[in-house]
Structure formats: C-alpha cells, structure tokens
Amino acid sequence: MIFLKINDIKGFTSLLLVKDTLEQMELWEGTIKTHSTFVIDGTKNTPYFTDTDEEPQSRYNTWERLRPVCYEIIKGNHLPTYFKFVFRLDEKRTTGIVSQTPDFKPEDVTGLFLNIKYENNTLSLTTGTSLSYFTLDKTLEKAFDRFVCGFLTEHRIDFSLC
C-alpha cells in the first residue's frame, strides 16, 4: 500500500472525470460534497435491468456508467469541497498485474483498489490489495504499486510519494 499526493490536481481530475481512461474500473463507493453531499453506492440495482438489457456481470457499476453522473455533480463555478472514490481495478488489468507475481493466481485476488480523495485543496491516492487468504507476501502489493506509479507517469500526472 502506498499513499501518493497528486501535485497535478487539474490534470488528474481531467483524467478522472473527462477522459475515458478509467472507464472499466468498478466504482465501489463515492462521496461528493458540493452544495449538498452526494453519496454513491456503486452496487448495481439488478431489479432495474430488464430481460432485454445486458445481464450484469459484476455486482458493481463501471466508472463508464457513473462518470457522467459524477461529472455533472462536480462541474460548475465552484470546486467541490470534498470528494472520495473507491475503485476496484478491472479484471483485465488485475490479471496482468497478477501474472507478474508467480506465487499468486487471479482467483486469489478479491480486488486491487484505488482510493482517491480530494480535501482541503489536496488530492491523494492510496492503493490497497485484498486477497482471499492471509499472507505476509507483499509481491502482489508492490507490483500493483509499481503499476499505479507507472500509470500516473505514463499519463504525465505529477505526484509524490508520501
């Protein structure tokens, strides 16, 4: 697990809210504080889907579905006073990271998580891993941390490790 301070707030929020870079990630939960507090439970409401809709493959909505809603809440003349999003990395990227660690299999991983928080004019990102069993082996965690830092570097987002 690492804690990163995002120095390029404008660039990262553009990556988060405007571009489709994170579309396949699942949003587990979110909170946005503007003129009101908006709390988002990313769990899919399966009764909402009809027989003609595509069957939900996951319990959670992708960012692709929820990003436009969050963008509408956040956009405007004033910055939000706070937001927090908890994302789980998509299956394809998770499998790619797990393949770099010989002692883990994709079915061992409950999730690789990104916690993104904006508060007091500071934007931070925390990584987290969840496995289906306890281990002291941190190779998967370190591989995920390298992936996140590489992702930010690839998208030219200035950050610092705290």
Side-chain angles (χ1 to χ4, degrees):
M1 179 173 82
I2 55 173
F3 177 81
L4 303 171
K5 180 179 180 225
I6 305 298
N7 300 318
D8 181 7
I9 294 174
K10 184 176 181 180
F12 186 83
T13 53
S14 175
L15 186 74
L16 177 66
L17 294 166
V18 178
K19 298 178 181 173
D20 63 1
T21 314
L22 306 175
E23 296 288 276
Q24 297 310 309
M25 294 181 70
E26 295 175 344
L27 180 68
W28 278 39
E29 64 183 62
T31 303
I32 302 168
K33 292 184 179 183
T34 57
H35 55 78
S36 299
T37 300
F38 300 87
V39 178
I40 301 163
D41 176 356
T43 307
K44 286 182 181 173
N45 178 19
T46 51
Y48 174 80
F49 297 95
T50 65
D51 292 340
T52 58
D53 289 330
E54 184 178 321
E55 181 67 27
Q57 295 181 347
S58 171
R59 283 184 47 210
Y60 295 91
N61 284 291
T62 61
W63 185 235
E64 179 178 24
R65 180 182 298 271
L66 295 173
R67 181 178 57 87
V69 175
C70 294
Y71 178 75
E72 283 299 315
I73 293 169
I74 290 175
K75 78 175 187 178
N77 295 330
H78 303 285
L79 290 173
T81 57
Y82 174 91
F83 66 74
K84 180 181 179 187
F85 298 109
V86 178
F87 290 103
R88 187 177 89 155
L89 202 63
D90 58 272
E91 190 175 319
K92 181 180 175 183
R93 289 178 183 163
T94 298
T95 300
I97 294 167
V98 172
S99 70
Q100 299 171 23
T101 57
D103 295 333
F104 294 97
K105 300 182 288 281
E107 58 268 18
D108 297 335
V109 182
T110 308
L112 301 176
F113 294 92
L114 293 174
N115 299 292
I116 300 167
K117 184 168 89 170
Y118 175 77
E119 184 174 38
N120 298 324
N121 296 318
T122 301
L123 184 61
S124 63
L125 191 150
T126 308
T127 61
T129 58
S130 177
L131 297 168
S132 58
Y133 59 87
F134 177 77
T135 181
L136 293 174
D137 186 343
K138 301 294 183 197
T139 56
L140 177 61
E141 185 177 308
K142 290 179 181 182
F144 180 47
D145 294 344
R146 281 192 307 275
F147 169 82
V148 170
C149 291
F151 175 85
L152 294 171
T153 301
E154 176 185 333
H155 288 90
R156 295 183 176 92
I157 302 298
D158 182 32
F159 66 94
S160 51
L161 188 61
C162 296

Short mmCIF file of all heavy atoms in Angstrom, two decimals, residues 11-70:
data_model
loop_
_atom_site.label_atom_id
_atom_site.label_comp_id
_atom_site.label_asym_id
_atom_site.label_seq_id
_atom_site.Cartn_x
_atom_site.Cartn_y
_atom_site.Cartn_z
N GLY A 11 -4.81 18.13 -13.90
CA GLY A 11 -4.55 17.05 -14.85
C GLY A 11 -5.18 15.73 -14.40
O GLY A 11 -5.76 15.01 -15.21
N PHE A 12 -5.08 15.44 -13.12
CA PHE A 12 -5.64 14.18 -12.64
C PHE A 12 -7.17 14.20 -12.65
O PHE A 12 -7.79 13.21 -13.03
CB PHE A 12 -5.14 13.84 -11.23
CG PHE A 12 -5.58 12.48 -10.78
CD1 PHE A 12 -4.88 11.35 -11.16
CD2 PHE A 12 -6.73 12.32 -10.02
CE1 PHE A 12 -5.30 10.08 -10.77
CE2 PHE A 12 -7.16 11.06 -9.63
CZ PHE A 12 -6.45 9.94 -10.01
N THR A 13 -7.78 15.32 -12.25
CA THR A 13 -9.24 15.36 -12.26
C THR A 13 -9.77 15.31 -13.70
O THR A 13 -10.83 14.75 -13.94
CB THR A 13 -9.80 16.59 -11.52
OG1 THR A 13 -9.20 17.78 -12.04
CG2 THR A 13 -9.57 16.49 -10.04
N SER A 14 -9.01 15.83 -14.65
CA SER A 14 -9.38 15.68 -16.06
C SER A 14 -9.33 14.21 -16.46
O SER A 14 -10.23 13.70 -17.12
CB SER A 14 -8.47 16.52 -16.95
OG SER A 14 -8.75 16.28 -18.31
N LEU A 15 -8.27 13.53 -16.06
CA LEU A 15 -8.12 12.11 -16.34
C LEU A 15 -9.27 11.32 -15.70
O LEU A 15 -9.82 10.40 -16.30
CB LEU A 15 -6.78 11.62 -15.76
CG LEU A 15 -6.34 10.21 -16.05
CD1 LEU A 15 -5.86 10.09 -17.49
CD2 LEU A 15 -5.23 9.82 -15.10
N LEU A 16 -9.66 11.72 -14.51
CA LEU A 16 -10.72 11.04 -13.76
C LEU A 16 -12.11 11.32 -14.31
O LEU A 16 -12.90 10.40 -14.52
CB LEU A 16 -10.65 11.46 -12.29
CG LEU A 16 -11.70 10.92 -11.33
CD1 LEU A 16 -11.55 9.41 -11.17
CD2 LEU A 16 -11.59 11.63 -9.98
N LEU A 17 -12.42 12.59 -14.56
CA LEU A 17 -13.80 12.98 -14.86
C LEU A 17 -14.11 13.25 -16.32
O LEU A 17 -15.27 13.18 -16.73
CB LEU A 17 -14.16 14.23 -14.04
CG LEU A 17 -14.19 14.02 -12.53
CD1 LEU A 17 -14.22 15.36 -11.82
CD2 LEU A 17 -15.37 13.16 -12.14
N VAL A 18 -13.11 13.58 -17.12
CA VAL A 18 -13.36 13.97 -18.51
C VAL A 18 -12.95 12.86 -19.49
O VAL A 18 -13.71 12.55 -20.40
CB VAL A 18 -12.63 15.29 -18.85
CG1 VAL A 18 -12.84 15.68 -20.29
CG2 VAL A 18 -13.08 16.40 -17.90
N LYS A 19 -11.80 12.29 -19.28
CA LYS A 19 -11.30 11.28 -20.22
C LYS A 19 -11.83 9.89 -19.86
O LYS A 19 -12.28 9.66 -18.74
CB LYS A 19 -9.77 11.29 -20.21
CG LYS A 19 -9.22 12.64 -20.67
CD LYS A 19 -7.73 12.68 -20.61
CE LYS A 19 -7.25 14.07 -21.05
NZ LYS A 19 -5.83 14.24 -20.86
N ASP A 20 -11.74 8.98 -20.81
CA ASP A 20 -12.26 7.63 -20.60
C ASP A 20 -11.20 6.64 -20.12
O ASP A 20 -11.36 5.44 -20.25
CB ASP A 20 -12.96 7.12 -21.85
CG ASP A 20 -12.02 6.98 -23.04
OD1 ASP A 20 -10.81 7.26 -22.90
OD2 ASP A 20 -12.50 6.58 -24.11
N THR A 21 -10.15 7.12 -19.52
CA THR A 21 -9.01 6.31 -19.12
C THR A 21 -9.36 5.25 -18.08
O THR A 21 -8.83 4.15 -18.11
CB THR A 21 -7.90 7.21 -18.55
OG1 THR A 21 -7.73 8.32 -19.43
CG2 THR A 21 -6.60 6.48 -18.40
N LEU A 22 -10.25 5.55 -17.17
CA LEU A 22 -10.57 4.64 -16.06
C LEU A 22 -11.91 3.94 -16.25
O LEU A 22 -12.43 3.34 -15.31
CB LEU A 22 -10.57 5.42 -14.74
CG LEU A 22 -9.33 6.23 -14.42
CD1 LEU A 22 -9.53 7.04 -13.16
CD2 LEU A 22 -8.12 5.31 -14.27
N GLU A 23 -12.45 3.99 -17.43
CA GLU A 23 -13.82 3.54 -17.70
C GLU A 23 -14.15 2.13 -17.20
O GLU A 23 -15.25 1.88 -16.75
CB GLU A 23 -14.12 3.59 -19.20
CG GLU A 23 -14.08 4.98 -19.77
CD GLU A 23 -15.24 5.84 -19.34
OE1 GLU A 23 -16.30 5.76 -19.96
OE2 GLU A 23 -15.09 6.60 -18.36
N GLN A 24 -13.23 1.19 -17.32
CA GLN A 24 -13.55 -0.19 -16.98
C GLN A 24 -13.37 -0.52 -15.50
O GLN A 24 -13.67 -1.63 -15.07
CB GLN A 24 -12.72 -1.16 -17.83
CG GLN A 24 -13.03 -1.05 -19.31
CD GLN A 24 -14.53 -1.11 -19.61
OE1 GLN A 24 -15.21 -2.01 -19.17
NE2 GLN A 24 -15.03 -0.13 -20.35
N MET A 25 -12.90 0.44 -14.73
CA MET A 25 -12.79 0.21 -13.29
C MET A 25 -14.18 0.23 -12.66
O MET A 25 -15.07 0.91 -13.14
CB MET A 25 -11.89 1.27 -12.66
CG MET A 25 -10.46 1.16 -13.14
SD MET A 25 -9.39 2.38 -12.39
CE MET A 25 -9.30 1.77 -10.73
N GLU A 26 -14.34 -0.53 -11.59
CA GLU A 26 -15.61 -0.55 -10.87
C GLU A 26 -15.58 0.51 -9.77
O GLU A 26 -14.60 0.61 -9.03
CB GLU A 26 -15.84 -1.91 -10.22
CG GLU A 26 -16.00 -3.03 -11.21
CD GLU A 26 -16.11 -4.38 -10.52
OE1 GLU A 26 -15.77 -4.50 -9.33
OE2 GLU A 26 -16.53 -5.33 -11.19
N LEU A 27 -16.65 1.26 -9.67
CA LEU A 27 -16.78 2.21 -8.56
C LEU A 27 -17.52 1.50 -7.44
O LEU A 27 -18.68 1.13 -7.59
CB LEU A 27 -17.54 3.47 -8.97
CG LEU A 27 -17.69 4.50 -7.85
CD1 LEU A 27 -16.33 5.11 -7.50
CD2 LEU A 27 -18.67 5.58 -8.23
N TRP A 28 -16.85 1.30 -6.33
CA TRP A 28 -17.48 0.63 -5.19
C TRP A 28 -18.27 1.63 -4.36
O TRP A 28 -19.33 1.33 -3.85
CB TRP A 28 -16.45 -0.11 -4.36
CG TRP A 28 -16.14 -1.45 -4.96
CD1 TRP A 28 -16.02 -1.75 -6.28
CD2 TRP A 28 -15.92 -2.67 -4.26
NE1 TRP A 28 -15.74 -3.08 -6.45
CE2 TRP A 28 -15.66 -3.68 -5.23
CE3 TRP A 28 -15.87 -3.02 -2.92
CZ2 TRP A 28 -15.41 -5.00 -4.89
CZ3 TRP A 28 -15.62 -4.34 -2.59
CH2 TRP A 28 -15.39 -5.31 -3.57
N GLU A 29 -17.72 2.82 -4.20
CA GLU A 29 -18.44 3.86 -3.47
C GLU A 29 -17.85 5.21 -3.79
O GLU A 29 -16.72 5.32 -4.24
CB GLU A 29 -18.40 3.61 -1.96
CG GLU A 29 -17.00 3.68 -1.36
CD GLU A 29 -16.99 3.37 0.13
OE1 GLU A 29 -17.35 2.25 0.49
OE2 GLU A 29 -16.60 4.27 0.91
N GLY A 30 -18.64 6.23 -3.58
CA GLY A 30 -18.19 7.59 -3.82
C GLY A 30 -18.96 8.57 -2.96
O GLY A 30 -20.11 8.33 -2.60
N THR A 31 -18.30 9.67 -2.64
CA THR A 31 -18.92 10.77 -1.92
C THR A 31 -18.44 12.06 -2.57
O THR A 31 -17.25 12.22 -2.82
CB THR A 31 -18.54 10.78 -0.42
OG1 THR A 31 -18.89 9.54 0.16
CG2 THR A 31 -19.21 11.91 0.32
N ILE A 32 -19.38 12.95 -2.85
CA ILE A 32 -19.05 14.25 -3.44
C ILE A 32 -19.77 15.31 -2.61
O ILE A 32 -20.98 15.21 -2.38
CB ILE A 32 -19.52 14.34 -4.90
CG1 ILE A 32 -18.89 13.23 -5.75
CG2 ILE A 32 -19.20 15.72 -5.49
CD1 ILE A 32 -19.52 13.07 -7.13
N LYS A 33 -19.02 16.34 -2.17
CA LYS A 33 -19.62 17.44 -1.43
C LYS A 33 -19.50 18.72 -2.25
O LYS A 33 -18.40 19.22 -2.49
CB LYS A 33 -18.94 17.62 -0.07
CG LYS A 33 -19.21 16.49 0.89
CD LYS A 33 -18.60 16.74 2.25
CE LYS A 33 -18.90 15.59 3.18
NZ LYS A 33 -18.38 15.84 4.53
N THR A 34 -20.63 19.18 -2.72
CA THR A 34 -20.71 20.48 -3.38
C THR A 34 -21.70 21.29 -2.56
O THR A 34 -21.47 21.47 -1.37
CB THR A 34 -21.15 20.33 -4.86
OG1 THR A 34 -22.40 19.64 -4.91
CG2 THR A 34 -20.12 19.56 -5.68
N HIS A 35 -22.79 21.76 -3.15
CA HIS A 35 -23.83 22.46 -2.39
C HIS A 35 -24.58 21.51 -1.46
O HIS A 35 -25.23 21.92 -0.52
CB HIS A 35 -24.82 23.16 -3.33
CG HIS A 35 -25.43 22.23 -4.33
ND1 HIS A 35 -26.44 21.36 -4.03
CD2 HIS A 35 -25.12 22.03 -5.64
CE1 HIS A 35 -26.76 20.66 -5.10
NE2 HIS A 35 -25.97 21.05 -6.10
N SER A 36 -24.47 20.21 -1.74
CA SER A 36 -25.05 19.14 -0.94
C SER A 36 -24.05 17.99 -0.92
O SER A 36 -23.08 18.00 -1.67
CB SER A 36 -26.37 18.65 -1.55
OG SER A 36 -27.32 19.69 -1.60
N THR A 37 -24.31 17.01 -0.11
CA THR A 37 -23.47 15.82 -0.08
C THR A 37 -24.16 14.72 -0.87
O THR A 37 -25.31 14.39 -0.60
CB THR A 37 -23.21 15.36 1.36
OG1 THR A 37 -22.54 16.40 2.07
CG2 THR A 37 -22.35 14.10 1.39
N PHE A 38 -23.44 14.16 -1.83
CA PHE A 38 -23.94 13.08 -2.66
C PHE A 38 -23.16 11.82 -2.33
O PHE A 38 -21.93 11.83 -2.40
CB PHE A 38 -23.78 13.41 -4.15
CG PHE A 38 -24.51 14.66 -4.57
CD1 PHE A 38 -23.90 15.91 -4.46
CD2 PHE A 38 -25.81 14.58 -5.04
CE1 PHE A 38 -24.57 17.06 -4.82
CE2 PHE A 38 -26.49 15.73 -5.42
CZ PHE A 38 -25.88 16.98 -5.31
N VAL A 39 -23.86 10.78 -1.96
CA VAL A 39 -23.23 9.50 -1.62
C VAL A 39 -23.66 8.48 -2.66
O VAL A 39 -24.85 8.32 -2.92
CB VAL A 39 -23.62 9.04 -0.20
CG1 VAL A 39 -22.99 7.70 0.13
CG2 VAL A 39 -23.23 10.08 0.84
N ILE A 40 -22.68 7.81 -3.25
CA ILE A 40 -22.94 6.85 -4.32
C ILE A 40 -22.54 5.46 -3.84
O ILE A 40 -21.39 5.25 -3.45
CB ILE A 40 -22.17 7.22 -5.59
CG1 ILE A 40 -22.56 8.61 -6.06
CG2 ILE A 40 -22.39 6.18 -6.69
CD1 ILE A 40 -21.59 9.23 -7.03
N ASP A 41 -23.48 4.55 -3.89
CA ASP A 41 -23.20 3.14 -3.67
C ASP A 41 -23.06 2.54 -5.07
O ASP A 41 -24.01 2.54 -5.84
CB ASP A 41 -24.35 2.50 -2.90
CG ASP A 41 -24.18 1.00 -2.71
OD1 ASP A 41 -23.20 0.42 -3.24
OD2 ASP A 41 -25.03 0.40 -2.03
N GLY A 42 -21.89 2.06 -5.40
CA GLY A 42 -21.64 1.56 -6.75
C GLY A 42 -22.28 0.22 -7.05
O GLY A 42 -22.21 -0.26 -8.18
N THR A 43 -22.93 -0.41 -6.07
CA THR A 43 -23.58 -1.69 -6.30
C THR A 43 -24.69 -1.55 -7.32
O THR A 43 -25.49 -0.62 -7.25
CB THR A 43 -24.17 -2.23 -4.98
OG1 THR A 43 -23.17 -2.23 -3.97
CG2 THR A 43 -24.70 -3.63 -5.15
N LYS A 44 -24.75 -2.48 -8.26
CA LYS A 44 -25.80 -2.45 -9.27
C LYS A 44 -27.14 -2.81 -8.64
O LYS A 44 -27.23 -3.70 -7.80
CB LYS A 44 -25.51 -3.45 -10.39
CG LYS A 44 -24.41 -3.01 -11.32
CD LYS A 44 -24.22 -4.02 -12.42
CE LYS A 44 -23.09 -3.58 -13.34
NZ LYS A 44 -22.76 -4.60 -14.33
N ASN A 45 -28.15 -2.12 -9.06
CA ASN A 45 -29.52 -2.41 -8.65
C ASN A 45 -30.09 -3.38 -9.70
O ASN A 45 -30.70 -2.97 -10.68
CB ASN A 45 -30.34 -1.12 -8.58
CG ASN A 45 -31.77 -1.35 -8.21
OD1 ASN A 45 -32.11 -2.40 -7.66
ND2 ASN A 45 -32.62 -0.39 -8.51
N THR A 46 -29.88 -4.68 -9.49
CA THR A 46 -30.22 -5.67 -10.52
C THR A 46 -31.70 -5.67 -10.90
O THR A 46 -32.01 -5.93 -12.07
CB THR A 46 -29.78 -7.09 -10.11
OG1 THR A 46 -30.25 -7.37 -8.80
CG2 THR A 46 -28.26 -7.19 -10.13
N PRO A 47 -32.68 -5.36 -10.01
CA PRO A 47 -34.07 -5.31 -10.48
C PRO A 47 -34.32 -4.22 -11.53
O PRO A 47 -35.30 -4.28 -12.27
CB PRO A 47 -34.87 -5.02 -9.20
CG PRO A 47 -34.01 -5.51 -8.10
CD PRO A 47 -32.61 -5.27 -8.56
N TYR A 48 -33.44 -3.24 -11.61
CA TYR A 48 -33.57 -2.17 -12.59
C TYR A 48 -33.41 -2.69 -14.02
O TYR A 48 -34.03 -2.19 -14.94
CB TYR A 48 -32.52 -1.09 -12.30
CG TYR A 48 -32.44 0.01 -13.33
CD1 TYR A 48 -33.36 1.05 -13.32
CD2 TYR A 48 -31.46 0.01 -14.31
CE1 TYR A 48 -33.29 2.07 -14.26
CE2 TYR A 48 -31.38 1.02 -15.25
CZ TYR A 48 -32.30 2.04 -15.23
OH TYR A 48 -32.23 3.04 -16.16
N PHE A 49 -32.58 -3.71 -14.19
CA PHE A 49 -32.28 -4.24 -15.51
C PHE A 49 -33.42 -5.14 -15.98
O PHE A 49 -33.91 -5.98 -15.25
CB PHE A 49 -30.94 -5.00 -15.50
CG PHE A 49 -29.78 -4.12 -15.17
CD1 PHE A 49 -29.31 -4.02 -13.86
CD2 PHE A 49 -29.16 -3.36 -16.14
CE1 PHE A 49 -28.25 -3.20 -13.55
CE2 PHE A 49 -28.10 -2.53 -15.85
CZ PHE A 49 -27.64 -2.45 -14.54
N THR A 50 -33.80 -4.98 -17.23
CA THR A 50 -34.87 -5.79 -17.81
C THR A 50 -34.27 -6.98 -18.53
O THR A 50 -33.04 -7.09 -18.69
CB THR A 50 -35.71 -4.96 -18.80
OG1 THR A 50 -34.87 -4.59 -19.92
CG2 THR A 50 -36.27 -3.71 -18.14
N ASP A 51 -35.14 -7.86 -19.02
CA ASP A 51 -34.67 -9.04 -19.76
C ASP A 51 -33.93 -8.67 -21.04
O ASP A 51 -33.09 -9.41 -21.51
CB ASP A 51 -35.86 -9.94 -20.12
CG ASP A 51 -36.48 -10.58 -18.89
OD1 ASP A 51 -35.79 -10.64 -17.86
OD2 ASP A 51 -37.64 -11.00 -18.97
N THR A 52 -34.24 -7.50 -21.61
CA THR A 52 -33.58 -7.09 -22.85
C THR A 52 -32.24 -6.41 -22.59
O THR A 52 -31.44 -6.26 -23.51
CB THR A 52 -34.48 -6.12 -23.66
OG1 THR A 52 -34.77 -4.98 -22.84
CG2 THR A 52 -35.76 -6.81 -24.08
N ASP A 53 -32.00 -6.00 -21.35
CA ASP A 53 -30.71 -5.40 -21.01
C ASP A 53 -29.65 -6.49 -20.92
O ASP A 53 -29.93 -7.65 -20.67
CB ASP A 53 -30.78 -4.69 -19.65
CG ASP A 53 -31.61 -3.42 -19.71
OD1 ASP A 53 -31.66 -2.79 -20.77
OD2 ASP A 53 -32.22 -3.07 -18.67
N GLU A 54 -28.41 -6.05 -21.10
CA GLU A 54 -27.30 -6.97 -20.92
C GLU A 54 -27.25 -7.38 -19.45
O GLU A 54 -27.36 -6.56 -18.55
CB GLU A 54 -25.99 -6.28 -21.33
CG GLU A 54 -24.80 -7.18 -21.27
CD GLU A 54 -23.54 -6.48 -21.74
OE1 GLU A 54 -23.61 -5.70 -22.69
OE2 GLU A 54 -22.50 -6.72 -21.13
N GLU A 55 -27.07 -8.67 -19.21
CA GLU A 55 -27.01 -9.19 -17.85
C GLU A 55 -25.80 -8.61 -17.11
O GLU A 55 -24.68 -8.69 -17.63
CB GLU A 55 -26.93 -10.72 -17.88
CG GLU A 55 -26.90 -11.37 -16.52
CD GLU A 55 -28.19 -11.22 -15.73
OE1 GLU A 55 -29.26 -11.08 -16.37
OE2 GLU A 55 -28.13 -11.24 -14.50
N PRO A 56 -26.00 -8.05 -15.93
CA PRO A 56 -24.86 -7.52 -15.18
C PRO A 56 -23.86 -8.63 -14.85
O PRO A 56 -24.26 -9.66 -14.32
CB PRO A 56 -25.50 -6.95 -13.92
CG PRO A 56 -26.94 -6.79 -14.23
CD PRO A 56 -27.27 -7.82 -15.26
N GLN A 57 -22.59 -8.43 -15.20
CA GLN A 57 -21.57 -9.43 -14.93
C GLN A 57 -20.92 -9.24 -13.58
O GLN A 57 -20.32 -10.15 -13.05
CB GLN A 57 -20.50 -9.39 -16.02
CG GLN A 57 -21.03 -9.80 -17.38
CD GLN A 57 -19.95 -9.79 -18.42
OE1 GLN A 57 -18.87 -9.26 -18.22
NE2 GLN A 57 -20.23 -10.36 -19.57
N SER A 58 -21.04 -8.07 -13.02
CA SER A 58 -20.43 -7.77 -11.74
C SER A 58 -21.48 -7.15 -10.82
O SER A 58 -22.49 -6.64 -11.29
CB SER A 58 -19.28 -6.76 -11.95
OG SER A 58 -18.81 -6.30 -10.71
N ARG A 59 -21.21 -7.20 -9.55
CA ARG A 59 -22.11 -6.57 -8.59
C ARG A 59 -22.02 -5.05 -8.63
O ARG A 59 -22.87 -4.36 -8.11
CB ARG A 59 -21.76 -7.03 -7.16
CG ARG A 59 -22.22 -8.40 -6.82
CD ARG A 59 -21.94 -8.75 -5.37
NE ARG A 59 -22.35 -7.68 -4.47
CZ ARG A 59 -21.77 -7.42 -3.31
NH1 ARG A 59 -20.76 -8.15 -2.90
NH2 ARG A 59 -22.19 -6.44 -2.54
N TYR A 60 -20.93 -4.53 -9.23
CA TYR A 60 -20.67 -3.09 -9.18
C TYR A 60 -20.72 -2.47 -10.58
O TYR A 60 -20.39 -3.10 -11.57
CB TYR A 60 -19.32 -2.82 -8.52
CG TYR A 60 -19.32 -3.24 -7.08
CD1 TYR A 60 -18.93 -4.51 -6.71
CD2 TYR A 60 -19.78 -2.38 -6.10
CE1 TYR A 60 -18.97 -4.92 -5.39
CE2 TYR A 60 -19.82 -2.77 -4.77
CZ TYR A 60 -19.41 -4.04 -4.42
OH TYR A 60 -19.48 -4.44 -3.11
N ASN A 61 -21.10 -1.21 -10.62
CA ASN A 61 -21.11 -0.45 -11.86
C ASN A 61 -19.70 -0.04 -12.24
O ASN A 61 -18.88 0.25 -11.38
CB ASN A 61 -21.97 0.80 -11.70
CG ASN A 61 -23.44 0.50 -11.73
OD1 ASN A 61 -23.98 0.13 -12.77
ND2 ASN A 61 -24.10 0.64 -10.59
N THR A 62 -19.47 0.04 -13.55
CA THR A 62 -18.19 0.55 -14.02
C THR A 62 -18.20 2.08 -13.92
O THR A 62 -19.25 2.72 -13.88
CB THR A 62 -17.92 0.15 -15.48
OG1 THR A 62 -18.94 0.70 -16.30
CG2 THR A 62 -17.84 -1.36 -15.64
N TRP A 63 -17.02 2.64 -13.94
CA TRP A 63 -16.88 4.10 -13.95
C TRP A 63 -17.46 4.67 -15.23
O TRP A 63 -17.94 5.79 -15.26
CB TRP A 63 -15.41 4.46 -13.77
CG TRP A 63 -15.13 5.92 -13.63
CD1 TRP A 63 -14.28 6.65 -14.40
CD2 TRP A 63 -15.67 6.83 -12.66
NE1 TRP A 63 -14.25 7.96 -13.97
CE2 TRP A 63 -15.10 8.09 -12.89
CE3 TRP A 63 -16.58 6.70 -11.61
CZ2 TRP A 63 -15.41 9.21 -12.14
CZ3 TRP A 63 -16.88 7.82 -10.86
CH2 TRP A 63 -16.30 9.06 -11.12
N GLU A 64 -17.45 3.89 -16.30
CA GLU A 64 -18.04 4.32 -17.56
C GLU A 64 -19.50 4.72 -17.37
O GLU A 64 -19.97 5.70 -17.93
CB GLU A 64 -17.94 3.19 -18.59
CG GLU A 64 -18.55 3.50 -19.93
CD GLU A 64 -18.39 2.36 -20.92
OE1 GLU A 64 -18.23 1.20 -20.49
OE2 GLU A 64 -18.41 2.65 -22.12
N ARG A 65 -20.22 3.98 -16.56
CA ARG A 65 -21.63 4.26 -16.33
C ARG A 65 -21.83 5.44 -15.36
O ARG A 65 -22.74 6.24 -15.52
CB ARG A 65 -22.33 3.03 -15.76
CG ARG A 65 -23.81 3.23 -15.49
CD ARG A 65 -24.45 2.01 -14.87
NE ARG A 65 -24.40 0.85 -15.74
CZ ARG A 65 -25.33 0.54 -16.65
NH1 ARG A 65 -26.37 1.31 -16.81
NH2 ARG A 65 -25.20 -0.54 -17.39
N LEU A 66 -20.96 5.57 -14.37
CA LEU A 66 -21.18 6.56 -13.31
C LEU A 66 -20.41 7.86 -13.49
O LEU A 66 -20.76 8.88 -12.88
CB LEU A 66 -20.84 5.94 -11.94
CG LEU A 66 -21.77 4.80 -11.54
CD1 LEU A 66 -21.27 4.12 -10.27
CD2 LEU A 66 -23.19 5.30 -11.35
N ARG A 67 -19.37 7.85 -14.32
CA ARG A 67 -18.56 9.06 -14.52
C ARG A 67 -19.39 10.26 -14.98
O ARG A 67 -19.24 11.36 -14.42
CB ARG A 67 -17.42 8.79 -15.50
CG ARG A 67 -16.52 10.01 -15.75
CD ARG A 67 -15.37 9.69 -16.69
NE ARG A 67 -15.79 9.18 -17.98
CZ ARG A 67 -16.09 9.94 -19.03
NH1 ARG A 67 -16.02 11.25 -18.95
NH2 ARG A 67 -16.46 9.39 -20.17
N PRO A 68 -20.29 10.11 -15.97
CA PRO A 68 -21.07 11.28 -16.40
C PRO A 68 -21.94 11.87 -15.28
O PRO A 68 -22.09 13.08 -15.19
CB PRO A 68 -21.94 10.74 -17.54
CG PRO A 68 -21.27 9.50 -18.00
CD PRO A 68 -20.58 8.94 -16.81
N VAL A 69 -22.46 11.02 -14.43
CA VAL A 69 -23.28 11.48 -13.30
C VAL A 69 -22.41 12.28 -12.33
O VAL A 69 -22.77 13.38 -11.89
CB VAL A 69 -23.93 10.28 -12.58
CG1 VAL A 69 -24.69 10.74 -11.33
CG2 VAL A 69 -24.84 9.51 -13.52
N CYS A 70 -21.25 11.73 -12.00
CA CYS A 70 -20.33 12.42 -11.08
C CYS A 70 -19.83 13.73 -11.68
O CYS A 70 -19.72 14.73 -10.97
CB CYS A 70 -19.18 11.50 -10.71
SG CYS A 70 -19.69 10.05 -9.76
#
